């Protein structure tokens, strides 16, 4: 499962979580989201998203 | 070559003069600056300088004795009004003439002015030079100044917001784009910064356009947004980017396009004339296409390149663009250029609070953005230096 980030506004789509408001159940891969879908925060098109990886250290 | 004239006594101009002497140039150097002060550092002006209890003395780029010691003819409060490329001379506003064998434009940039109703109201500030900073500082110290609104979430806007928040004033940042510093940093880093500054009390209004400034008694009282919202404001800082000072070059017939166009030797379309720093636009070995970079590092770097070329010496080793900012205890450092990346990977820690974002295009590392990781910079420099665009 990957995460994707909108380079226009920084919205993160996490495939593991999906997006309830957008109607994508947990586990929905980004590739299965329709091409005409837009960023829920800023309205940018799907193609401005880039893969995003986050590693945490310290106390979480 | 006997006479070199440098127009602009900011960090690019002063360092060009110093680098020329360092490279062994023995001829005349005239350094022409419009300001009355000795050449000073601008970065502190948008940081703690604004809220220090006493107005700090400006930090000088070089000690006062430097100019005489190095036999640099520093002309302060001196304005160049025309460059005559046929006669190879610069005309000054006071009637003086400076002949040159080589001329360097280091004329910098100025804040982009907003043309909106009410922009003439008092208490609307821009921030670039010492005079602007002193006026802003005084206005911020006024006890009646309770609500500060910053138009533009660029570096200047965020630095001023960081300096002012926590001093008992409401701080609102209005930005037309969907996030701050969108031109210079990736969303991973700006998400991090926005979250921290929000925790510190800054209110961000993104995707909002300013329509007008409203006043009472000649003073600004509110910022009206295009959607009808009014943001109460006792003071407004406009940080809407900068425009290069190219008019003198343009009037002299030099090719300009969002800056004075230069080649990799910092040479303009006239082989005797160079341009460096904020006013120059050209190729950079770490960028795609032509760029105009408004950073201290770039000004220094280009000053050294121009001096090396003028003294027939090899150019310094290409160094990736670097930039830093201090935002409310966050040391933000960016190396490389955040353009054309295809994926982002972040290493985050909350104790201590750090962030490292790597911007990749395929296997190639384009840029790295860090927060609170100054000790990482040398290692990152070596990594990014390996990615020079051919």
């Amino acid at each position: 499962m990957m995460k994707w980030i909108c380079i226009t506004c920084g919205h993160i789509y996490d495939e593991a979580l999906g997006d309830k408001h957008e109607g994508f159940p947990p586990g929905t891969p980004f590739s299965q989201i329709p091409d005409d879908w837009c960023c829920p925060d800023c309205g940018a098109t799907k193609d401005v998203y880039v893969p995003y990886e986050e590693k945490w250290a310290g106390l979480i | 070559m006997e006479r070199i004239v440098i127009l602009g006594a900011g960090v690019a101009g002063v360092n060009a003069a110093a680098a020329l002497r360092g490279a062994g140039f023995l001829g005349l150097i005239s350094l022409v600056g419009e300001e009355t002060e000795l050449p000073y550092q601008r970065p502190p002006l948008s940081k703690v300088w604004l809220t220090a209890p006493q107005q700090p003395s400006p930090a000088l780029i070089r000690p006062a004795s430097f100019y005489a010691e190095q036999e640099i003819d520093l002309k302060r409060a001196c304005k160049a009004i025309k460059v005559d490329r046929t006669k190879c001379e610069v005309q000054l506003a006071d009637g003086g003439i400076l002949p040159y064998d080589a001329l360097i434009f280091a004329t910098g940039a100025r804040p982009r002015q907003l043309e909106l109703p009410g922009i003439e109201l008092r208490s609307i500030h821009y921030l670039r030079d010492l005079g602007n900073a002193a006026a802003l500082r005084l206005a911020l110290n006024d006890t009646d100044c309770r609500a500060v609104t910053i138009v533009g979430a660029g570096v200047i806007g965020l630095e001023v917001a960081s300096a002012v928040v926590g001093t008992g004033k409401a701080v609102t940042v209005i930005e037309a784009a969907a996030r701050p510093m969108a031109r210079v940093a990736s969303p991973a880093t700006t998400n991090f910064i926005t979250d921290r500054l929000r925790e510190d009390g800054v209110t961000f209004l993104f995707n909002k356009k300013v329509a007008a400034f409203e006043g009472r008694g000649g003073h600004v009282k509110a910022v009206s947004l295009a959607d009808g919202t009014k943001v109460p404001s006792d003071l407004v800082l406009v940080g809407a980017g900068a425009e290069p000072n190219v008019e003198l070059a343009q009037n002299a017939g030099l090719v300009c396009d969002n800056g004075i166009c230069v080649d990799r030797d910092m040479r303009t379309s006239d082989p005797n004339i160079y341009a460096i720093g904020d006013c120059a636009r050209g190729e950079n070995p770490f960028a795609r296409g032509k760029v105009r970079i408004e950073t201290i590092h770039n000004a220094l770097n280009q000053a050294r390149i121009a001096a090396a070329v003028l003294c027939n010496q090899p150019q310094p080793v290409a160094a990736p663009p670097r930039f830093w900012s201090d935002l409310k205890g966050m040391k933000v450092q960016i190396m490389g250029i955040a353009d054309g990346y295809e994926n982002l990977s972040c290493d985050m820690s909350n104790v201590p609070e750090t962030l490292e974002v790597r911007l990749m295009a395929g296997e190639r590392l384009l840029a790295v953005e860090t927060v609170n990781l100054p000790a990482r910079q040398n290692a990152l420099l070596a990594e990014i230096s390996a990615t020079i665009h051919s």
Side-chain angles (χ1 to χ4, degrees), chain B residues 264 283-288 318-321 336-337 366 384-389:
Chain B
R264 287 194 172 194
E283 286 178 11
N284 181 293
F286 295 90
R288 303 183 306 171
I337 291 189
L366 297 181
I384 296 180
S385 294
T387 68
I388 295 184
H389 283 240

Side-chain angles (χ1 to χ4, degrees), chain B residues 295-298 320-324 333-336 377-378 381:
Chain B
T295 65
I296 297 287
H297 176 265
N298 180 64
R322 296 175 79 152
F323 158 80
W324 92 98
Q333 291 173 287
I334 298 177
M335 195 182 296
Q377 302 304 308
N378 283 344
L381 179 64

Side-chain angles (χ1 to χ4, degrees), chain A residues 7-52:
Chain A
I7 69 165
T8 309
C9 75
H11 172 262
I12 294 166
Y13 177 75
D14 184 338
E15 293 181 344
L17 301 176
D19 189 321
K20 195 170 64 180
H21 298 290
E22 297 287 307
F24 309 137
T28 305
F30 196 66
S31 59
Q32 280 185 20
I33 291 177
D35 287 341
D36 60 359
W37 177 79
C38 291
C39 169
D41 284 354
C42 76
T45 50
K46 184 186 167 188
D47 57 359
V48 308
Y49 279 73
V50 298
Y52 173 74

